[in-house]
Every structure is written in C-alpha cells, then in structure tokens.
Amino acid sequence: MGVTAFFYILLFLWVHDAAAIIGFTRSDFAQDFVFGAGTSAYQYEGAVAEDGRSPSFWDTFTHAGKMPDKSTGDIAADGYHKYKEDMKLISKTGLEAYRFSISWSRLIPNGRGAVNPKGLKYYNNIINELVKHGIQIHITLHHIDLPQILEDEYGGWLSPRIIEDFTAYAGVCFREFGDRVKYWTTVNEPNIGAIAAYGSGQLPPGRCSDPFGITKCTAGNSSIEPYIAVHTTLLAHTSVVKLYREKYKAEQKGVVGINIYSYWSYPFTNSTVDLEASQRSKDFMFGWILEPLVSGDYPEVMKKNVGSRLPSFTKIQSGLIKNSFDFIGINHYFSVYVNDRPIERGARDFNGDMSVYYRVSRTDPPAGQGAPTNVPSDPKGLQLVLEYLKETYGNPPVYVHENGVGSPNDSLNDTDRVVYLSSYMGSTLDAIRNGVNVRGYFAWAFMDLFELLAGYQSKYGLYHIDFDDMRRPRQARLSARWYSGFLKKNGSSLLVSRTHEDLTLNTVS
Ligand code: IFM
C-alpha cells in the first residue's frame, strides 16, 4: 500500500472516528467483552432434505424462484457437513464467541412433538466443538427459519398458536443444550423482518398487498400483517423468557434476549418537521420492540399513526412483557437520512405509517424514487444507536450481534471491509467510554453465506467461499487475518495500514 493510500485511510479514520485515529487494541476493551462472528442456519447449513429435516418457509420461498438470482440455500456454505472444520477455523482465527441459529425444522421436523435425533446430534456436535475450543456460544432460536408445516397449519407468526409451539421448541433447546449454552436470543430482527416478510414480500413467507409489495405476492395485507407478526413475536418471546426464568435459569445461569435491526436516522435538514420525522423513524425502528419490553406498551407515536391496525396488549400481557429480557442484540450496517412528508397512500416505506422519506446520503433520491447510489460507511451512526439505547431504554446490556459490509466483490484483499470493521469497532469503544453497557461485538459474517435479499451476489464473509465449487472451499480474506491479529496478538486496529505481506504473518491456513 502506497503512502498516499495510507494517508487517505488515516484521514478517513480521523473524519469518522476519534478512537481509531490513535488506534486501539483488544486490551482497550474489558476482558469479559467478547469479539466474535456469526452465521445463521438457513444461510450456512445447506443439507435441507437430509437426516430428517423438514422444509422451512425459506425452502418454499426460494424454490418458488423468489430470490432475484433464483438461488436457494440447498447447499449454501455446506455447514451441515463442514461444521467441524469451521469450528476449528473459528478457534484458529482467535474468535472468542460464535453466534449461530438453530433450524427449528431440523430439530423438530413437525414443528412440535418428536425431536429428530440426527438434528439433535448435529447441534450437540457443534456445541461440543465450540466448548472444546473455549468459544463462547450465542444461539438464536429463530433467524427467519419457521417450519413450513406451521406456516401451512395456522399461518406461522400471524397466529397466536405459534406462542405455544415456539415456547415448546425453545424448551427443547434449553433442556438439551442449556448446560453448555448461556446466551440465548429468541428472535432475529423481528422489526425489519416483519416489514420484509409481510410488508414488501421480500422475505419468507413473502406476503404483501398492493401497492406495497416489492415482489409479486399471492396473498397478504401489508397494512396490517407486519404489526400482527411483531405482536405475536413479542408475546412468544415473552413466553420463552418466562419459561427460562421459571424452569432453567437457576440451574443453567444463562441469559435470554431479543435482537433488533437498527440503522441510525439523521434528520435530512434541521427543520422541525424533519427532526420530528427522524424521531418518528426511531420510535418505529427501536420503540416498536423496545418500548413494550421496557414499559409494557407500544410508543404513543405508533398508536397514533397506526391506529386500530396496531394490536394492543391486555393488562396481563403488558405486565409480563415488561422487563422480559436480559440483553438487547442489535444488527447494524448503515445510517440513513429521513425527511418528512405528509401521509400519503402509495408510499412504500412502511405503508406510509411513519410518513418519512429515507435517503442513505444527502444526494440520494427519496425511497421509492430511484436506487441509492451507494451506502456510505458511517461508524458514528453505530455509536449514536448505542448511546440512544442507553439514554432511551435505561442502558440495558447490549451486544452488537451483526456488523459488516456486503459486496459483490469476491476479492480476498478486502481492505474496505477491514477499514469498515475497525472503524465500527472504534465507535463501539467510543460508546463504551461514554457509559454504554456494550458486552460484545460480532462481525457478520464468519464466512460468505446465502444472503437474504441477494442470494450469492453479496459477500459478507471474513472467509471467502467459492460457491461454484461443490466442495465449498474456505479461504481467509485479509479481514480474517486482520481480525485474527487484532484478537490473538493484541494487534492495533490500525494494522490495516500495514502491507498485505505483514498481515500474512497472521494467516489462518
Ligand atoms: O445476512 C443478513 C442476516 O441474516 C440478517 N441481518 C442482515 C444480514 C446482512 O444482510
């Protein structure tokens, strides 16, 4: 890397992040803070019809040709067969924690009732490998992975019947794995997930109605179903936390939380209406999930804008949901600008309920009026999200469950990702120094995976996978080597300024 490039990287870090300019090392974070990386079952495992797994709604969605590239997760990263090698790689990389999810339909193919012994063995094997290598285990129970049989039977997350089935499934996981697993997340990204699954139709079960769908949907009601799905999810989450606290916590001593998708919303201008719009967007993004968990009810601004389409909690439900979490996980990738517009029908951003326009940069057109030109990295946005959680929701323990950058670029020399990760880790450190209760940071993703909206066209991995090769070989990217050096050798975050050759000293072969 030339002197000029080095200068620009330093300039970039200086502009974006005060911690990074002086550099930081692993030891600037507390000993019990964990650094890790993650995957999720459908995106990683493949083997969708093997050893008794029944289809999840992802299989139905992808096999109906709903992905833009018509891809499926049939093989994905082949984690079902390569988990042992991968757990070793996690350890060799120096990761301290690994976040993954369980495929409900692999563990309990009928959605309820009998446990599949081969599914049970698979997850026990993974967990045992991680324990052997001293890696802290973080499990998500539902990462967009519902047994199709429950979707067919009662409409999945749209029916309160799921509460009992989800609680029973979680109970099996606690009973079978809870002796070794102490960090449980009930649901991944219920907020954005509900919008994409029931509003725009881009995620399974792919439901939407005109004019809100981005894909073609055969059924759905975009104005109502996202709110029902989140409501049921919150009740199911609460029921699982209650089960854990009453039956397992005393002995297993673990914690249960929920995960939310988060972007930071800047007002587009300093006008009062834009300031209000950016606050409204935060109430819909964070408050939709966190306000019930902290105060027992939805934010007032949601009740006002959504009206009777927003389900309500009974007094008993409200009492149960309040404080039913031990930590909050956030997934964070970028920031947006929002500006106000009057409520109008036909707007695609969240049914018009938030009545805001989104732009990723100041020069982009509003959402729905042309594609954004790029998604600029904004590490400060993560710090602002973390500080907002502290100020607004009583400083709960927080894990940055996902942070990373997707790229169509297959290159092993992913300098951009190193700059991105190090600067976002720096802004996490800044937030901690400002008193935010952050307990861990997970890069997304440990390796290239089947990606939600893009199939195999977008790579997030520290490790590269050649998806044209049936053997799915793993190869360390520069980011894997850099992260490894940062963790194993207490390397500086500024190692990015070194040459590639220097970094190969940390190569994970
Ligand atoms: O790959 C996804 C993950 O499954 C959920 N959060 C966002 C990631 C990147 O799009």
Side-chain angles (χ1 to χ4, degrees):
M1 179 179 297
V3 173
T4 318
F6 179 31
F7 168 78
Y8 277 112
I9 286 170
L10 279 184
L11 184 66
F12 173 91
L13 293 172
W14 179 74
V15 166
H16 286 85
D17 172 4
I21 185 66
I22 46 168
F24 56 87
T25 64
R26 169 63 182 96
S27 52
D28 285 306
F29 293 81
Q31 272 277 313
D32 60 356
F33 184 94
V34 288
F35 281 99
T39 64
S40 85
Y42 186 75
Q43 297 179 271
Y44 167 71
E45 289 176 7
V48 292
E50 233 171 282
D51 289 344
R53 179 189 180 277
S54 74
S56 87
F57 62 3
W58 253 125
D59 297 284
T60 312
F61 186 85
T62 54
H63 281 260
K66 295 263 191 159
M67 295 300 292
D69 63 350
K70 308 287 177 231
S71 60
T72 73
D74 288 2
I75 303 177
D78 201 20
Y80 190 69
H81 299 113
K82 296 175 84 83
Y83 74 88
K84 208 166 180 173
E85 171 188 326
D86 290 339
M87 300 309 116
K88 211 181 271 167
L89 206 52
I90 285 170
S91 163
K92 269 187 146 183
T93 311
L95 299 187
E96 299 156 358
Y98 176 52
R99 173 177 179 257
F100 66 101
S101 74
I102 290 181
S103 156
W104 182 346
S105 68
R106 193 183 293 290
L107 190 65
I108 307 178
N110 285 328
R112 73 174 77 85
V115 172
N116 171 18
K118 291 194 170 155
L120 188 63
K121 185 156 180 258
Y122 172 66
Y123 293 112
N124 266 324
N125 285 345
I126 291 191
I127 290 166
N128 290 340
E129 282 298 311
L130 291 166
V131 169
K132 188 168 97 194
H133 292 296
I135 310 290
Q136 193 177 93
I137 303 165
H138 291 242
I139 287 187
T140 304
L141 294 167
H142 188 265
H143 192 119
I144 325 172
D145 215 354
L146 187 79
Q148 179 64 38
I149 198 166
L150 300 183
E151 184 67 29
D152 295 340
E153 192 178 322
Y154 51 69
W157 292 102
L158 293 178
S159 165
R161 290 176 61 190
I162 199 162
I163 298 168
E164 192 182 334
D165 287 338
F166 187 59
T167 309
Y169 155 62
V172 170
C173 296
F174 297 152
R175 186 186 73 213
E176 298 294 337
F177 310 130
D179 55 335
R180 289 150 292 158
V181 179
K182 306 299 167 197
Y183 299 89
W184 297 97
T185 302
T186 53
V187 183
N188 183 70
E189 298 176 355
N191 51 349
I192 201 88
I195 298 169
Y198 302 96
S200 63
Q202 290 167 288
L203 287 179
R207 295 174 63 86
C208 61
S209 58
D210 285 341
F212 302 113
I214 289 178
T215 55
K216 263 200 163 32
C217 301
T218 50
N221 185 334
S222 303
S223 300
I224 292 179
E225 290 184 359
Y227 299 110
I228 297 176
V230 165
H231 195 72
T232 324
T233 304
L234 285 168
L235 295 175
H237 159 86
T238 302
S239 166
V240 168
V241 172
K242 187 167 180 293
L243 172 73
Y244 191 79
R245 287 180 176 172
E246 287 175 355
K247 194 165 170 192
Y248 295 99
K249 191 170 174 86
E251 197 189 325
Q252 298 184 353
K253 302 190 171 35
V255 284
V256 187
I258 195 166
N259 166 286
I260 54 175
Y261 190 81
S262 70
Y263 42 69
W264 183 248
S265 308
Y266 294 103
F268 192 65
T269 70
N270 278 335
S271 66
T272 308
V273 284
D274 283 1
L275 287 165
E276 283 172 2
S278 83
Q279 181 54 49
R280 202 155 63 239
S281 125
K282 291 180 188 85
D283 286 328
F284 272 76
M285 165 74 54
F286 303 107
W288 194 8
I289 310 296
L290 295 185
E291 200 59 50
L293 289 174
V294 169
S295 70
D297 201 1
Y298 292 116
E300 283 307 318
V301 72
M302 284 192 76
K303 292 204 251 182
K304 181 167 159 256
N305 282 22
V306 185
S308 62
R309 289 174 294 126
L310 187 68
S312 53
F313 298 108
T314 65
K315 255 208 159 101
I316 293 178
Q317 287 170 339
S318 170
L320 286 172
I321 192 170
K322 200 170 159 182
N323 295 324
S324 65
F325 67 101
D326 298 314
F327 67 86
I328 300 301
I330 60 158
N331 296 351
H332 183 86
Y333 291 89
F334 58 89
S335 302
V336 297
Y337 289 98
V338 301
N339 64 309
D340 180 64
R341 62 161 167 67
I343 290 177
E344 56 187 46
R345 298 215 61 77
R348 281 197 160 147
D349 53 328
F350 210 132
N351 293 334
D353 291 336
M354 272 193 283
S355 53
V356 294
Y357 277 138
Y358 291 96
R359 305 161 196 246
V360 290
S361 78
R362 281 192 191 270
T363 48
D364 278 330
Q369 295 182 20
T373 43
N374 59 1
V375 180
S377 143
D378 176 38
K380 187 80 185 168
L382 175 56
Q383 183 186 341
L384 293 171
V385 164
L386 293 168
E387 290 175 2
Y388 182 78
L389 296 183
K390 172 183 168 230
E391 300 306 329
T392 318
Y393 301 108
N395 207 12
V398 175
Y399 287 89
V400 178
H401 265 164
E402 289 182 17
N403 177 236
V405 60
S407 163
N409 188 345
D410 243 1
S411 167
L412 293 179
N413 203 11
D414 57 343
T415 328
D416 290 357
R417 183 169 289 112
V418 176
V419 172
Y420 179 99
L421 293 174
S422 63
S423 54
Y424 275 79
M425 281 159 56
S427 68
T428 304
L429 183 58
D430 286 340
I432 293 170
R433 286 175 173 160
N434 287 342
V436 184
N437 194 359
V438 193
R439 303 289 180 88
Y441 172 96
F442 294 75
W444 185 266
F446 179 56
M447 58 181 59
D448 291 340
L449 302 166
F450 168 84
E451 174 50 30
L452 303 194
L453 304 179
Y456 299 102
Q457 308 305 313
S458 183
K459 327 274 179 185
Y460 279 82
L462 300 171
Y463 284 83
H464 169 274
I465 293 188
D466 180 357
F467 289 104
D468 293 327
D469 185 333
M470 283 301 287
R471 293 166 303 155
R472 300 291 193 269
R474 280 86 164 116
Q475 257 183 301
R477 287 204 169 95
L478 181 64
S479 53
R481 297 184 183 124
W482 168 81
Y483 202 13
S484 182
F486 175 77
L487 294 175
K488 291 210 294 203
K489 303 190 174 187
N490 201 27
S492 163
S493 60
L494 291 179
L495 255 184
V496 65
S497 63
R498 299 272 201 87
T499 64
H500 186 278
E501 281 68 35
D502 282 341
L503 291 164
T504 55
L505 292 175
N506 299 320
T507 298
V508 181
S509 56

Coordinates of all heavy atoms in Angstrom, one line a residue, residues 237-269:
H237 N -41.8 -14.3 22.4 CA -40.6 -14.0 23.1 C -40.8 -14.0 24.7 O -40.0 -14.6 25.4 CB -40.0 -12.7 22.6 CG -39.0 -12.1 23.6 ND1 -37.7 -12.4 23.6 CD2 -39.2 -11.2 24.6 CE1 -37.1 -11.7 24.5 NE2 -38.0 -11.0 25.2
T238 N -41.8 -13.3 25.1 CA -42.1 -13.2 26.5 C -42.4 -14.5 27.1 O -41.9 -14.8 28.2 CB -43.4 -12.3 26.7 OG1 -43.1 -11.0 26.1 CG2 -43.7 -12.1 28.1
S239 N -43.1 -15.4 26.4 CA -43.4 -16.7 27.0 C -42.1 -17.5 27.1 O -41.9 -18.3 28.1 CB -44.4 -17.3 26.0 OG -44.5 -18.7 26.2
V240 N -41.2 -17.4 26.2 CA -39.9 -18.1 26.2 C -39.1 -17.6 27.4 O -38.5 -18.4 28.1 CB -39.2 -18.0 24.9 CG1 -37.7 -18.5 25.0 CG2 -39.9 -18.8 23.8
V241 N -39.0 -16.3 27.6 CA -38.2 -15.8 28.7 C -38.8 -16.3 30.0 O -38.1 -16.6 30.9 CB -38.2 -14.2 28.6 CG1 -37.6 -13.6 29.9 CG2 -37.5 -13.8 27.4
K242 N -40.1 -16.3 30.1 CA -40.8 -16.7 31.3 C -40.4 -18.2 31.6 O -40.1 -18.6 32.7 CB -42.3 -16.6 31.1 CG -43.2 -16.9 32.4 CD -44.6 -16.3 32.1 CE -45.5 -16.6 33.3 NZ -45.8 -18.0 33.5
L243 N -40.5 -19.0 30.6 CA -40.1 -20.4 30.7 C -38.7 -20.5 31.2 O -38.4 -21.3 32.2 CB -40.3 -21.2 29.4 CG -39.7 -22.6 29.4 CD1 -40.6 -23.5 30.2 CD2 -39.6 -23.1 27.9
Y244 N -37.8 -19.8 30.6 CA -36.4 -19.9 31.0 C -36.2 -19.5 32.5 O -35.5 -20.2 33.3 CB -35.5 -19.1 30.1 CG -34.0 -19.4 30.3 CD1 -33.4 -20.5 29.8 CD2 -33.2 -18.5 31.1 CE1 -32.1 -20.8 30.0 CE2 -31.9 -18.8 31.3 CZ -31.3 -20.0 30.8 OH -30.0 -20.3 31.0
R245 N -36.8 -18.4 32.8 CA -36.6 -17.8 34.2 C -37.3 -18.8 35.2 O -36.7 -19.0 36.3 CB -37.3 -16.4 34.3 CG -36.4 -15.4 33.6 CD -37.0 -14.0 33.6 NE -36.0 -13.1 33.0 CZ -36.3 -11.8 32.8 NH1 -37.5 -11.3 33.1 NH2 -35.4 -11.0 32.2
E246 N -38.4 -19.4 34.9 CA -39.1 -20.2 35.9 C -38.4 -21.6 36.0 O -38.4 -22.2 37.0 CB -40.5 -20.4 35.5 CG -41.3 -19.1 35.8 CD -42.7 -19.1 35.4 OE1 -43.2 -20.1 34.8 OE2 -43.5 -18.1 35.6
K247 N -38.0 -22.1 34.8 CA -37.6 -23.5 34.8 C -36.1 -23.8 34.7 O -35.6 -24.8 35.2 CB -38.3 -24.2 33.7 CG -38.3 -25.8 33.8 CD -39.3 -26.4 32.9 CE -39.1 -27.9 32.8 NZ -39.8 -28.5 31.8
Y248 N -35.3 -22.9 34.0 CA -33.9 -23.2 33.7 C -32.9 -22.3 34.3 O -31.8 -22.7 34.5 CB -33.8 -23.2 32.2 CG -34.6 -24.3 31.5 CD1 -35.8 -24.1 30.9 CD2 -34.1 -25.7 31.5 CE1 -36.6 -25.1 30.4 CE2 -34.9 -26.7 30.9 CZ -36.1 -26.4 30.4 OH -36.8 -27.4 29.8
K249 N -33.3 -21.1 34.5 CA -32.3 -20.0 34.9 C -31.5 -20.4 36.1 O -30.2 -20.3 36.2 CB -32.9 -18.7 35.0 CG -31.8 -17.6 35.1 CD -32.4 -16.2 34.9 CE -31.4 -15.1 35.1 NZ -30.6 -14.8 33.9
A250 N -32.2 -20.8 37.2 CA -31.5 -21.1 38.4 C -30.3 -22.1 38.3 O -29.2 -21.9 38.8 CB -32.5 -21.6 39.5
E251 N -30.6 -23.1 37.5 CA -29.5 -24.1 37.3 C -28.5 -23.7 36.2 O -27.3 -23.9 36.3 CB -30.2 -25.4 37.0 CG -29.3 -26.6 37.2 CD -29.9 -27.9 36.7 OE1 -31.2 -28.0 36.8 OE2 -29.2 -28.7 36.1
Q252 N -29.1 -23.2 35.1 CA -28.2 -23.0 33.9 C -27.5 -21.7 33.9 O -26.5 -21.5 33.3 CB -29.0 -23.2 32.6 CG -29.6 -24.6 32.5 CD -30.3 -24.8 31.1 OE1 -30.5 -23.8 30.4 NE2 -30.7 -26.0 30.9
K253 N -28.1 -20.7 34.6 CA -27.5 -19.4 34.8 C -27.2 -18.7 33.5 O -26.1 -18.0 33.4 CB -26.2 -19.5 35.7 CG -26.4 -20.2 37.0 CD -25.3 -20.1 37.9 CE -25.6 -20.5 39.4 NZ -26.5 -21.6 39.6
G254 N -28.1 -18.8 32.6 CA -27.9 -18.1 31.3 C -28.7 -16.9 31.2 O -29.4 -16.5 32.2
V255 N -28.7 -16.2 30.0 CA -29.5 -15.0 29.8 C -30.2 -15.2 28.5 O -29.8 -15.9 27.6 CB -28.5 -13.8 29.8 CG1 -28.1 -13.4 31.2 CG2 -27.3 -14.0 28.9
V256 N -31.4 -14.5 28.4 CA -32.2 -14.5 27.2 C -32.5 -13.1 26.8 O -32.9 -12.3 27.6 CB -33.5 -15.3 27.4 CG1 -34.2 -15.5 26.1 CG2 -33.3 -16.6 28.1
G257 N -32.3 -12.8 25.5 CA -32.6 -11.5 25.0 C -33.2 -11.6 23.6 O -33.6 -12.7 23.2
I258 N -33.4 -10.5 23.0 CA -34.0 -10.4 21.7 C -33.1 -9.5 20.8 O -32.3 -8.7 21.3 CB -35.5 -9.9 21.7 CG1 -36.2 -10.1 20.4 CG2 -35.5 -8.4 22.1 CD1 -37.8 -9.9 20.6
N259 N -33.2 -9.6 19.5 CA -32.4 -8.9 18.6 C -33.2 -7.9 17.8 O -34.3 -8.3 17.4 CB -31.6 -9.9 17.7 CG -30.9 -9.3 16.5 OD1 -31.6 -8.9 15.6 ND2 -29.6 -9.2 16.6
I260 N -32.7 -6.8 17.5 CA -33.4 -5.8 16.6 C -32.4 -5.3 15.5 O -31.2 -5.2 15.7 CB -34.0 -4.6 17.3 CG1 -33.0 -3.9 18.1 CG2 -35.2 -5.1 18.1 CD1 -33.6 -2.6 18.8
Y261 N -33.0 -5.0 14.3 CA -32.3 -4.4 13.3 C -32.2 -2.9 13.6 O -33.2 -2.3 14.1 CB -33.0 -4.6 11.9 CG -32.2 -4.2 10.7 CD1 -31.2 -5.0 10.2 CD2 -32.4 -2.9 10.1 CE1 -30.5 -4.7 9.1 CE2 -31.7 -2.6 9.0 CZ -30.8 -3.4 8.5 OH -30.0 -3.1 7.4
S262 N -31.1 -2.2 13.3 CA -31.0 -0.8 13.7 C -30.2 -0.1 12.6 O -29.2 -0.5 12.2 CB -30.2 -0.7 15.0 OG -28.9 -1.1 14.8
Y263 N -30.8 1.0 12.1 CA -29.9 2.0 11.4 C -30.1 3.3 12.2 O -31.1 3.5 12.9 CB -30.2 2.1 9.9 CG -31.7 2.2 9.5 CD1 -32.5 3.3 9.8 CD2 -32.2 1.1 8.8 CE1 -33.8 3.3 9.4 CE2 -33.6 1.2 8.4 CZ -34.4 2.2 8.7 OH -35.7 2.3 8.3
W264 N -29.2 4.2 12.0 CA -29.3 5.5 12.7 C -30.0 6.4 11.7 O -29.7 6.4 10.5 CB -27.9 6.0 13.1 CG -28.1 7.3 13.8 CD1 -27.7 8.6 13.4 CD2 -28.7 7.5 15.1 NE1 -28.1 9.5 14.3 CE2 -28.7 8.9 15.4 CE3 -29.3 6.6 16.0 CZ2 -29.3 9.4 16.5 CZ3 -29.9 7.2 17.2 CH2 -29.9 8.5 17.4
S265 N -31.0 7.2 12.2 CA -31.7 8.1 11.3 C -31.3 9.6 11.6 O -31.5 10.1 12.7 CB -33.2 8.0 11.6 OG -33.6 6.7 11.5
Y266 N -30.6 10.2 10.7 CA -30.3 11.6 10.8 C -31.5 12.4 10.2 O -32.0 12.0 9.1 CB -29.1 12.0 10.0 CG -27.8 11.4 10.6 CD1 -27.2 10.3 9.9 CD2 -27.1 11.9 11.7 CE1 -26.0 9.7 10.4 CE2 -25.9 11.3 12.1 CZ -25.4 10.3 11.5 OH -24.2 9.7 11.9
P267 N -31.8 13.6 10.7 CA -32.8 14.4 10.0 C -32.1 15.0 8.8 O -31.0 15.3 8.8 CB -33.1 15.6 11.0 CG -32.0 15.5 12.0 CD -31.4 14.2 12.0
F268 N -32.9 15.0 7.7 CA -32.3 15.5 6.4 C -32.0 17.0 6.5 O -31.0 17.4 5.9 CB -33.4 15.2 5.3 CG -32.8 15.4 3.9 CD1 -31.8 14.5 3.5 CD2 -33.3 16.4 3.1 CE1 -31.3 14.7 2.2 CE2 -32.8 16.5 1.8 CZ -31.8 15.7 1.4
T269 N -32.8 17.7 7.2 CA -32.5 19.2 7.4 C -32.8 19.4 8.9 O -33.3 18.5 9.6 CB -33.4 20.1 6.6 OG1 -34.7 20.1 7.2 CG2 -33.4 19.8 5.2

